[in-house]
Amino acid sequence: MNLDITVHGTVRIAGYLRCFPFDAWAMEPHRIALRRYAGELGLPEPSIYLDNGLRSRGPLPGLERLMDVVACGIYDVLLIPGPFVFSVHDLEASASVRRITGFGCMVLELPPLHVPRRCGPEPPGSMAPSSACAADDAKARQRLARDRPG
């Protein structure tokens, strides 16, 4: 895949969230995190697919709808907090990621929410957390540009 994110609006993006047990706030902080990360990458706001209060082994109507549209080529990028949203079982989660990428949709995980802080001055030659974040963002942009299909 090779996604050109330099032309605004050309990349179609989705996000997927699943929570068990039911989250009365509908995972709003996670929605905000998905939107914020998309913005940091220069991507448009994602369309969010949600399975709230559902176990990974049961029916997941939000994931089923997402898989249907991904199979049709509707989205180029899927943002997730981690593969655990597909299943708490690593093999099943990995299989879902492979299926989505097999349809030509890149799966990007959100970076960790908390950057560990060091006590005392930074050692010479180390990157400050903001520089490290900028480097991570640059790497994500490079992956998007390199991996876009066609």
Side-chain angles (χ1 to χ4, degrees), residues 61-148:
L63 182 57
E64 290 170 15
R65 282 191 305 276
L66 175 63
M67 287 293 198
D68 288 344
V69 295
V70 166
C72 293
I74 301 297
Y75 294 112
D76 302 304
V77 176
L78 174 63
L79 292 180
I80 57 173
F84 59 85
V85 295
F86 302 122
S87 176
V88 294
H89 304 283
D90 291 341
L91 292 175
E92 291 174 13
S94 296
S96 293
V97 171
R98 282 192 307 276
R99 183 173 174 212
I100 292 165
T101 57
F103 290 131
C105 182
M106 178 182 282
V107 177
L108 292 179
E109 290 182 45
L110 295 179
L113 294 177
H114 303 288
V115 176
R117 295 181 185 245
R118 294 189 178 113
C119 295
E122 291 288 323
S126 69
M127 287 195 288
S130 61
S131 299
C133 292
D136 288 344
D137 290 347
K139 287 178 189 174
R141 285 189 190 94
Q142 289 172 345
R143 280 197 324 258
L144 287 170
R146 179 188 68 228
D147 296 336
R148 182 177 177 110

Side-chain angles (χ1 to χ4, degrees), residues 51-66:
D51 284 313
N52 192 0
L54 301 175
R55 294 179 184 271
S56 63
R57 288 274 171 116
L60 298 170
L63 182 57
E64 290 170 15
R65 282 191 305 276
L66 175 63

